[in-house]
Amino acid sequence: MTSEATIVDLHCHSIASDGTLPPAEVVSRATANGVEILALTDHDTIAGLDEAYHSANDNGIKLIPGIELSATWQGKLLHIVGLDIDPEFPPLKQGIQILKDMREERAIEMGKRLARAGFSDAYENARRLAGDGNVTRTHFARHLIEAGVAKDFTDVFKRFLVPGKPGYYRVDWVTMEDAVAWITGSGGVAVLAHPMRYMLTASWLNRVLIAFKSAGGEGIEVVCGRNSPDDNARSAHFARKHGLLASQGSDFHEPGKWVELGKLAKLPDGMDPLWLRWNQQ
Ligand code: AMP
Ligand code: MN
Ligand code: MN
Ligand code: MN
């Protein structure tokens, strides 16, 4: 059986979205780091799950099929992690197709904007870096760093890829309610990812969480990748206040540049860990 001491990482990325490792390597790296339960949660795609499953079998690690959906609620961007989803559930598959089309149109628009700012071929390069997968802002960031335009991710996002900057193009994605319904309808659990990263006031976050819960959301990431200890404590407060289960994940994308798979702070006291439902058969 699992316990709170089990090493659990329920949020990470592979080359199927904006990570740099193939799904099989994400799984073997997690295993080497001692992770016992891992969820692969690529942005708006399930394309990495088959490979991850095979690797999880070989490595003897429990893999939870996951996804991180891009959504909006009242104009606010939210990331909704779906865990233990059925990737074959038709409404979820249709939702993923909608998001894929939105991402492609958005990438083309971002490319046009960057071209007007003097950076030609940004779309083509981001598209190349994304391979068969969805283009994300991370792919544009990697290209602009490679091209010597910016020195690192922090620099490139701040100067080009956030609201008000030349490469930013606003997209409303899908509604939070739809994203949650596709996840829960498939038999999965919907989790609000990294609640401290949206820069919402406490009253806005409370409103988001009330709406999220009434849509069928059950969990909130309490411990996640780049959280400070204070972020973890504040997230725990919101979990308690709204009666949400606690999730945790590294949000790993790339060795060296992100928090490592499985290397997470301890969950604050008084939380209900969401993963206790998954035993390790
Ligand atoms: P997108 O979903 O296409 O808007 O891309 C969002 C992704 O960009 C996130 O999932 C992160 O991986 C990455 N990202 C966003 N902001 C930053 C930042 N300041 N530094 C590094 N990566 C970032
Ligand atoms: Mn990402
Ligand atoms: Mn995210
Ligand atoms: Mn993520």
Side-chain angles (χ1 to χ4, degrees), residues 199-213:
M199 310 303 274
L200 298 174
T201 60
S203 67
W204 264 106
L205 186 52
N206 281 320
R207 268 179 258 168
V208 165
L209 290 170
I210 290 165
F212 175 68
K213 211 177 158 179

Side-chain angles (χ1 to χ4, degrees), residues 11-13 18 41 43 68 79 81 193-194 197 251-253:
H11 185 159
C12 67
H13 299 272
D18 59 350
T41 56
H43 296 287
E68 183 176 14
H79 282 181
V81 163
H194 43 64
R197 224 182 290 161
D251 203 5
F252 173 84
H253 285 65

Side-chain angles (χ1 to χ4, degrees), residues 18 43 79 103 106 136-138 153 157 226 253 258:
D18 59 350
H43 296 287
H79 282 181
R103 278 199 174 273
R106 176 227 210 188
T136 70
R137 281 186 292 162
T138 307
F153 276 109
F157 270 88
R226 290 169 164 177
H253 285 65
W258 289 76

Side-chain angles (χ1 to χ4, degrees), residues 24-252:
E25 285 179 36
V26 172
V27 173
S28 50
R29 191 177 182 93
T31 311
N33 288 352
V35 174
E36 293 153 274
I37 306 179
L38 177 73
L40 180 65
T41 56
D42 276 306
H43 296 287
D44 307 319
T45 181
I46 52 164
L49 293 182
D50 277 349
E51 183 183 318
Y53 263 127
H54 284 112
S55 178
N57 265 337
D58 296 345
N59 282 284
I61 180 175
K62 180 155 183 79
L63 183 83
I64 304 295
I67 194 164
E68 183 176 14
L69 293 174
S70 307
T72 22
W73 186 76
Q74 308 243 331
K76 313 280 183 202
L77 170 76
L78 301 174
H79 282 181
I80 311 295
V81 163
L83 298 174
D84 207 17
I85 53 166
D86 172 2
E88 296 304 321
F89 181 58
L92 176 60
K93 285 179 91 168
Q94 286 156 19
I96 289 168
Q97 184 61 46
I98 292 168
L99 285 162
K100 182 185 168 85
D101 294 344
M102 284 181 162
R103 278 199 174 273
E104 191 59 23
E105 284 167 29
R106 176 227 210 188
I108 292 167
E109 286 299 329
M110 287 174 69
K112 284 186 195 160
R113 274 148 213 258
L114 285 165
R116 285 203 287 274
F119 307 103
S120 55
D121 301 329
Y123 164 75
E124 289 73 11
N125 280 289
R127 182 71 266 166
R128 170 182 57 81
L129 291 170
D132 298 331
N134 292 334
V135 178
T136 70
R137 281 186 292 162
T138 307
H139 299 102
F140 280 95
R142 286 202 186 109
H143 160 61
L144 292 169
I145 294 167
E146 263 179 28
V149 173
K151 66 177 191 316
D152 57 28
F153 276 109
T154 308
D155 184 35
V156 76
F157 270 88
K158 199 171 64 192
R159 287 169 51 210
F160 298 102
L161 300 172
V162 293
K165 300 297 172 180
Y168 188 75
Y169 179 71
R170 190 190 151 84
V171 174
D172 265 348
W173 305 117
V174 298
T175 67
M176 177 270 282
E177 289 86 351
D178 279 347
V180 170
W182 298 331
I183 291 164
T184 57
S186 88
V189 188
V191 175
L192 183 72
H194 43 64
M196 295 300 125
R197 224 182 290 161
Y198 309 116
M199 310 303 274
L200 298 174
T201 60
S203 67
W204 264 106
L205 186 52
N206 281 320
R207 268 179 258 168
V208 165
L209 290 170
I210 290 165
F212 175 68
K213 211 177 158 179
S214 76
E218 281 185 80
I220 181 171
E221 276 181 1
V222 171
V223 170
C224 55
R226 290 169 164 177
N227 271 6
S228 66
D230 185 53
D231 289 336
N232 292 339
R234 288 178 58 218
S235 304
H237 157 80
F238 286 99
R240 276 187 218 100
K241 181 175 169 111
H242 293 274
L244 291 162
L245 300 171
S247 189
Q248 63 180 36
S250 59
D251 203 5
F252 173 84

